[in-house]
Amino acid sequence: MARMTVWNWPGAGEKAWFYGGNGFPLGFYEPLMGRLAGRFALSGLHNRACWPGSPAPGQGDGWRRYGADLAGAIRAEGPGVIGIGHSMGACSMVLAQRADPSLFRALVLVEPAIVSAHAVRVAKVLPKWAGRFVKPVRAARDRRDVWPDSAAYLAEMQAHPAFRRFDAEAWAAVSAHGTVANGQGVALAFPKTWEAHNFFHAEAVLADIEALDIPVAVIRGRPSYFFPEPMWKDLQRVRPDIVTLEDPDFGHLLPIEAPGSAYHLIETALDRLSA
């Protein structure tokens, strides 16, 4: 049976929770979370794809369930917290807050993967074989997922152009948390079957963000497939009151590839939300 796993950082201050994106083990965010722990009593929830004993994903597994996972973890320690999420994790936080408005007192959404309602409707009726024509699904399904050792995994990651902006701090986190031993070598800590599954089970959260009655900040890097310019404009249209901040030097992986910049943007966002 899968066992929920929470990462609690030692620290004082206001209680905050962090939730990461699809395909990325929580440990990839260690450089950012270490900085956040200097300001908050911080906890991070591992996605259920990485929980010990998790089977293959089922039909009910998706962004809404991940929000429910987080809600359960927060209620166990006390609601009314700050929420900081990246990509799918940010969207799951929004869904959790809509289901239980007591969870968060403010949200900071870093590169939320805001999918259009039309795209979600299409994904729900597409047969699974159609994933070969969807770029992120195909990339997840086709990626290698086992290596003889962690050094081979790290070398392959470092050769990938998508990660060319990672610095030494980011690579140390990737090396430490990207794989798990499988008895014959190492395998992805966030299984590719879950990553591909999650792209097919996204939720359209723009209307949910519009309906939130708590302070919200949104941080983005350069426009990308996962947070394109039209969605950025739609977000500002439906919520002109939200705090928006940008770092165009980085992309969708901003909190992993530039944890220092991400931390300063989060800090600025929270200061503006409380002003």
Side-chain angles (χ1 to χ4, degrees):
M1 179 178 293
R3 186 175 71 254
M4 178 182 286
T5 311
V6 174
W7 187 337
N8 291 306
W9 285 76
E14 186 174 5
K15 184 63 182 177
W17 281 79
F18 184 86
Y19 214 15
N22 184 30
F24 302 111
L26 185 60
F28 278 24
Y29 300 92
E30 185 175 15
L32 172 60
M33 293 191 298
R35 290 170 168 85
L36 290 170
R39 173 168 176 159
F40 299 105
L42 183 70
S43 295
L45 179 64
H46 293 261
N47 185 273
R48 66 167 47 224
C50 302
W51 294 357
S54 280
Q59 188 60 37
D61 293 314
W63 298 16
R64 199 169 296 277
R65 171 166 285 177
Y66 307 148
D69 291 338
L70 181 65
I74 291 172
R75 290 191 203 102
E77 296 192 13
V81 301
I82 298 290
I84 304 164
H86 173 231
S87 191
M88 180 180 75
C91 295
S92 295
M93 281 185 158
V94 171
L95 294 168
Q97 179 67 12
R98 289 283 287 139
D100 182 352
S102 73
L103 293 176
F104 300 106
R105 75 164 192 83
L107 284 174
V108 179
L109 311 176
V110 184
E111 278 284 317
I114 302 178
V115 183
S116 72
H118 173 71
V120 170
R121 287 194 296 269
V122 170
K124 289 184 185 301
V125 299
L126 279 177
K128 288 195 173 182
W129 59 260
R132 73 185 68 172
F133 302 110
V134 181
K135 184 178 179 180
V137 178
R138 184 174 69 248
R141 288 180 174 175
D142 292 348
R143 69 183 300 193
R144 183 177 177 182
D145 60 349
V146 292
W147 295 264
D149 52 47
S150 58
Y153 159 77
L154 184 63
E156 186 168 316
M157 289 283 286
Q158 290 176 326
H160 198 294
F163 311 125
R164 64 186 179 277
R165 295 183 186 84
F166 283 23
D167 61 13
E169 191 177 19
W171 284 122
V174 170
S175 178
H177 302 289
T179 59
V180 292
N182 67 353
Q184 300 174 324
V186 298
L188 287 172
F190 197 119
K192 69 178 186 179
T193 52
W194 278 87
E195 182 182 0
H197 173 90
N198 289 337
F199 286 125
F200 257 124
H201 293 79
E203 297 285 348
V205 302
L206 186 62
D208 296 286
I209 295 174
E210 182 179 10
L212 290 175
D213 60 356
I214 58 173
V216 179
V218 177
I219 296 168
R220 76 161 181 171
R222 290 186 314 278
S224 69
Y225 178 93
F226 297 102
F227 195 12
E229 187 69 19
M231 280 298 171
W232 177 246
K233 292 186 180 303
D234 283 348
L235 178 66
Q236 293 175 308
R237 174 180 55 80
V238 302
R239 283 297 299 265
D241 60 308
I242 63 174
V243 171
T244 57
L245 296 167
E246 303 177 64
D247 185 343
D249 290 335
F250 299 94
H252 186 63
L253 303 185
L254 167 64
I256 299 173
E257 62 189 2
S261 175
Y263 173 72
H264 289 303
L265 289 168
I266 292 167
E267 196 172 40
T268 299
L270 289 169
D271 289 344
R272 291 188 186 179
L273 288 178
S274 61

